[in-house]
Amino acid sequence: MFNQHHLERACPACGATASSKFADERLDPGKMNDFTYASRKQPEFMCLRLVRCAQCDLVYAPSPPDTSFLTSAYADAAYDSAEEAKCAAASYAKALEPYVEHLRSRTAAVDVGAGNGALLGWLRQLGFAQVVGIEPSRAAIDAASDDVRGLLREGMFSPEMLKDVTPSLICSFMTLEHLADPGVFVKTAFELLEPGGMIAVVVHNWQGVLNRSLGLRSPIIDVEHLQLYNPKSVIALLKGAGFEAVDVCPISNSYPMRYWLRLTPLPGTMKAAMGRLLERSALADLKIPLRVGNILAVGTKPSMESA
């Protein structure tokens, strides 16, 4: 189905090698399609073999697909979630704003895994002189509005993509779960940021009440997700890269009811019937804010004065 690393990796958050079983591999080739590596898709409830780190409690796949497979999969992924992306961007911007107020500089902001660029307009409103989005999916970039499409750069995140940018802020929202080596990502972000700059990430908290109650039927248990965080593991990841004053807080997401229904682990026929009822009513478009286990983590690169 895809090429996996033969050598098992250590915990990608803290580097520990001791782990315990979390979930067996559950893959169905018949369910794989153009949306398997797409954002905000219909849950397939498939996953790679997952283990739990004995030190920081990160849940991760010890044998993830290789980088070439992931690069191709995300480049070719379909995209049909513009409405949900707009909702997510509003939630992320609201959560991010209090932290941005403490930035000394707002030279440039970079959104990694930017999708159709829905967050870029918000970053402009927060006062950044330059905003850049990095996105591997061609379909997502094609779906961008005219005013932000030119701000999107196609490809996987790398220093070469930002040779002309010195970021004050690097965002990565719901992206770290998808990376084969998130440690490399946060260390690269640390190096690229100007002194006093900030990283902000949003990740799923697998230890959140809802995710724990759903267990392996939670939509965060997905073949795309190579690791699943909790506050302890995301702090370990950011501090390991050199970030200081790391703060973690839960956030709410506000989505239309039709999207919340899509995420539920209900049988397909029941979900379809309920979806039809929603669409016939005035409720399908009703936006409901919920805390479903997502957390924001923010860290600061030491300034020259404190270095």
Side-chain angles (χ1 to χ4, degrees):
M1 189 176 301
F2 44 66
N3 298 323
Q4 288 180 271
H5 294 294
H6 297 294
L7 295 176
E8 294 195 352
R9 61 178 178 162
C11 173
C14 73
T17 56
S19 63
S20 58
K21 175 183 172 181
F22 187 85
D24 292 323
E25 180 177 278
R26 298 186 303 174
L27 298 176
D28 181 352
K31 292 182 179 180
M32 304 288 281
N33 55 48
D34 292 345
F35 284 94
T36 298
Y37 284 85
S39 60
R40 302 179 185 91
K41 62 183 180 181
Q42 184 88 343
E44 302 142 335
F45 302 107
M46 298 190 295
C47 69
L48 302 172
R49 179 171 68 90
L50 300 172
V51 299
R52 178 178 176 180
C53 175
Q55 182 166 305
C56 74
D57 283 335
L58 183 80
V59 169
Y60 67 97
S63 301
D66 61 34
T67 302
S68 61
F69 172 85
L70 292 172
T71 299
S72 176
Y74 285 112
D76 297 336
Y79 186 83
D80 70 346
S81 58
E83 179 185 11
E84 292 82 7
K86 183 178 179 181
C87 294
S91 296
Y92 299 153
K94 180 179 179 180
L96 187 60
E97 187 172 4
Y99 294 96
V100 170
E101 289 178 355
H102 298 289
L103 274 176
R104 295 183 183 179
S105 167
R106 300 189 192 184
T107 306
V110 177
D111 184 21
V112 181
N116 68 344
L119 185 66
L120 301 185
W122 289 100
L123 293 175
R124 278 175 165 168
Q125 291 182 29
L126 290 175
F128 290 95
Q130 181 182 12
V131 295
V132 175
I134 296 177
E135 172 56 43
S137 169
R138 290 185 292 271
I141 294 174
D142 289 342
S145 59
D146 292 341
D147 61 325
V148 300
R149 188 177 296 114
L151 306 175
L152 292 165
R153 303 182 182 186
E154 182 181 338
M156 301 292 276
F157 174 75
S158 69
E160 291 73 27
M161 296 192 76
L162 295 172
K163 284 183 177 180
D164 59 332
V165 182
T166 302
S168 310
L169 172 70
I170 294 180
C171 304
S172 179
F173 296 153
M174 297 303 185
T175 300
L176 292 188
E177 289 90 344
H178 302 252
L179 302 178
D181 197 335
V184 169
F185 170 80
V186 294
K187 288 174 183 175
T188 302
F190 183 88
E191 293 169 0
L192 291 172
L193 282 165
E194 64 184 12
M198 183 180 293
I199 189 171
V201 300
V202 172
V203 293
H204 300 288
N205 177 13
W206 74 265
Q207 289 184 327
V209 174
L210 180 60
N211 289 325
R212 292 200 71 150
S213 64
L214 290 174
L216 297 183
R217 294 295 288 170
S218 168
I220 72 170
I221 304 297
D222 186 85
V223 68
E224 285 189 277
H225 291 162
L226 309 182
Q227 46 271 328
L228 294 168
Y229 295 87
N230 66 343
K232 184 179 179 180
S233 57
V234 75
I235 289 172
L237 179 71
L238 296 187
K239 286 189 173 181
F243 289 101
E244 298 180 344
V246 177
D247 188 49
V248 178
C249 64
I251 66 169
S252 296
N253 286 87
S254 182
Y255 287 116
M257 284 191 67
R258 67 164 63 86
Y259 179 70
W260 290 126
L261 176 62
R262 184 193 302 178
L263 296 183
T264 63
L266 295 171
T269 52
M270 182 183 299
K271 190 184 295 189
M274 292 180 67
R276 288 191 292 270
L277 288 175
L278 274 181
E279 296 300 334
R280 291 171 188 164
S281 70
L283 298 177
D285 294 314
L286 180 64
K287 293 182 176 64
I288 305 294
L290 296 174
R291 284 192 175 180
V292 292
N294 296 333
I295 52 177
L296 169 69
V298 176
T300 303
K301 180 175 179 176
S303 64
M304 297 296 289
E305 291 83 357
S306 61

